[in-house]
Amino acid sequence: MLPVLGLSLAGCAGMQAAPRPYYPAVDVQATGETAPVGTGKADAADDPAIWRNAGNPAASLIVGTDKKAGLYVYGLDGKVRDFVAAGLLNNVDLREVAPGRILVGASDRTDGAVPKIALFTLDGASGKLTALGAQAFMAAGRAPVQAYGFCMGKALGAGELARAYVVLKDGEVAESRLVEAGGTIRAEYVRSVKFATQSEGCVVDDRSGILYVAEEDIGIWKVDLKPATLSAEAFAMVGPDKGLVDDVEGLALAPVGERGGFLVASSQGDNAYVLFDLATAAPGGRFRIAAGRFGATSDTDGIELALGDFGPAFPGGVFVAQDGDNAPAAQNFKLLSWAEVIQSLQR
């Protein structure tokens, strides 16, 4: 018998969870899927980001990487709205930095020696991307290293549009200010935190000022962004007590109120997704995307979740997961109704 997690479906705004033990994953079918990426017969699709159209939620957009070619924009119907050939982009995130002004960033590993941030603007009405160029942000002369993971957070100082966090292939996470000057946006390195082994997935909780990072073989760490010097604290480590099987990949947030809600992680080792209470790190349920009209997912890298009304198909929020095996077609992204996920966890 599966646990009842005590989650409310009223816009997911009332989600509460007492600490729960580890339980097997429940099956949930995808509500939709995107068109496959253009790079076939390869590990190509990687990471999604979601922009919610507040005026017309059903017209919201998904941005996703083909890490061997560039960046896609999809509608919630899964159809391609735009594609920009932009080289080897791995992870992507976005922030609406002013009303109607959507800034998109991605980790750019096209130059294998110099990590960069590729920047774009997204037109919410047309779904079109405009490339702003790739910005180097680390000091010259350092050992060659690839940009890998990427996430964005709100501005933490005057004159900033946002903060960018690039997870480097050697485990370092570099924070940069994104500032506008002379008609361009540049990345200015601020500080770093280092993990012992390869890390990738990350997400920032703008409410609490906490950065969450997935160290693939170890688990999930939390980094308080408020002190001048960054340090990491264990949040949820790989193991049966947390229901987390390496590799730990994408991370996403289901925020509730001022500080509550859940962190969602891709447990790639057993093709599942795990919810963790943000306050206690207690597991709040596990689910898999099962075979159905749109197929199951496996070997998921990036995930994203946005709560709220996204139209009739996604009334309580939309969850997006990369599918590592969409055979016979190329890899793509699967879309789930978050309300259905919560209902399945409550049964």
Side-chain angles (χ1 to χ4, degrees):
M1 184 176 189
L2 294 173
V4 176
L5 301 184
L7 309 183
S8 168
L9 288 177
C12 292
M15 291 198 301
Q16 302 291 330
R20 302 288 181 183
Y22 162 64
Y23 286 91
V26 301
D27 287 343
V28 186
Q29 293 185 3
T31 304
E33 65 180 342
T34 68
V37 298
T39 302
K41 298 181 180 179
D43 180 20
D46 194 85
D47 190 49
I50 301 169
W51 172 72
R52 183 176 182 273
N53 185 330
N56 183 9
S60 298
L61 299 170
I62 298 165
V63 179
T65 57
D66 178 334
K67 61 187 176 185
K68 301 185 184 299
L71 206 56
Y72 282 89
V73 180
Y74 305 96
L76 294 183
D77 59 4
K79 295 180 180 179
V80 175
R81 298 290 192 268
D82 196 18
F83 172 75
V84 174
L88 307 181
L89 306 184
N90 210 67
N91 284 20
V92 66
D93 203 358
L94 58 82
R95 281 291 188 278
E96 189 162 355
V97 296
R101 188 182 187 192
I102 309 161
L103 181 63
V104 178
S107 53
D108 188 338
R109 55 190 175 86
T110 305
D111 183 338
V114 180
K116 296 180 180 180
I117 301 169
L119 294 171
F120 308 81
T121 56
L122 173 64
D123 185 316
S126 68
K128 301 300 181 183
L129 289 164
T130 299
L132 304 179
Q135 291 280 319
F137 55 91
M138 300 295 287
R142 68 157 289 159
V145 64
Q146 284 190 352
Y148 199 40
F150 181 82
C151 55
M152 295 172 72
K154 70 178 181 181
L156 298 179
E160 301 176 12
L161 295 174
R163 290 275 169 121
Y165 301 86
V166 180
V167 184
L168 304 175
K169 203 68 180 280
D170 64 0
E172 180 179 355
V173 182
E175 180 188 48
S176 297
R177 304 166 65 239
L178 298 180
V179 298
E180 191 168 27
T184 63
I185 299 174
R186 65 174 184 267
E188 298 179 345
Y189 172 79
V190 178
R191 53 190 176 170
S192 293
V193 62
K194 183 73 164 63
F195 297 93
T197 62
Q198 182 171 296
S199 306
E200 183 179 6
C202 67
V203 67
V204 178
D205 188 339
D206 286 336
R207 304 167 306 161
S208 61
I210 299 293
L211 166 69
Y212 295 89
V213 179
E215 188 175 4
E216 294 184 356
D217 294 334
I218 307 300
I220 304 168
W221 301 85
K222 56 189 293 187
V223 180
D224 191 342
L225 299 174
K226 293 182 284 297
T229 301
L230 300 180
S231 60
E233 175 185 345
F235 179 75
M237 299 294 100
V238 165
D241 59 325
K242 294 292 187 181
L244 197 57
V245 183
D246 60 327
D247 288 351
V248 186
E249 291 285 342
L251 301 178
L253 289 170
V256 177
E258 293 184 359
R259 297 184 70 88
F262 292 90
L263 177 73
V264 186
S266 168
S267 178
Q268 191 183 71
D270 69 340
N271 301 321
Y273 310 92
V274 190
L275 282 70
F276 295 101
D277 187 287
L278 286 170
T280 65
R286 304 172 76 247
F287 67 97
R288 289 191 179 94
I289 301 175
R293 176 184 173 189
F294 300 103
T297 57
S298 60
D299 300 320
T300 292
D301 288 326
I303 62 174
E304 184 59 294
L305 168 62
L307 301 185
D309 175 22
F310 280 81
F314 306 98
V318 57
F319 178 81
V320 182
Q322 181 260 5
D323 184 5
D325 184 4
N326 189 44
Q331 293 179 346
N332 71 347
F333 300 91
K334 298 295 193 280
L335 283 63
L336 276 73
S337 163
W338 190 245
E340 290 186 12
V341 172
I342 299 303
Q343 288 171 347
S344 295
L345 291 172
Q346 286 182 317
R347 291 182 187 134

